[in-house]
Amino acid sequence: MPPSGFSQQAVQGALVFIQTCYQDLLSEVRSGKHHSFEEAIQFEIRQLDQALSRLHIDQEGRLVEKQ
């Protein structure tokens, strides 16, 4: 059962996105882009913080850049 206010499709999409992020992160660590898992996770957190500072959901439910 999806969280209140979210469709099953939205939850599944979010989980696929998260899974792909972890797969990419693991590949980056294995390739040497990041020196440690901790460094890689901190990098991803900074990326998310930047996205959250620039994006929001408008009244129609679309993800858009803040003005």
Side-chain angles (χ1 to χ4, degrees):
M1 175 178 224
S4 178
F6 294 94
S7 70
Q8 185 71 28
Q9 184 179 9
V11 172
Q12 287 174 337
L15 291 174
V16 168
F17 173 76
I18 293 166
Q19 179 185 36
T20 304
C21 288
Y22 277 113
Q23 290 168 340
D24 290 347
L25 187 59
L26 183 58
S27 294
E28 289 177 0
V29 171
R30 286 180 175 161
S31 75
K33 180 177 179 179
H34 306 285
H35 293 94
S36 68
F37 284 109
E38 182 178 338
E39 180 184 307
I41 291 169
Q42 289 173 342
F43 174 81
E44 291 296 323
I45 290 170
R46 285 192 303 274
Q47 295 287 92
L48 289 168
D49 284 341
Q50 288 176 3
L52 290 170
S53 71
R54 293 191 328 253
L55 302 172
H56 74 100
I57 298 174
D58 68 9
Q59 291 181 341
E60 286 80 37
R62 296 175 301 198
L63 185 64
V64 297
E65 286 196 45
K66 291 180 181 177
Q67 300 212 6

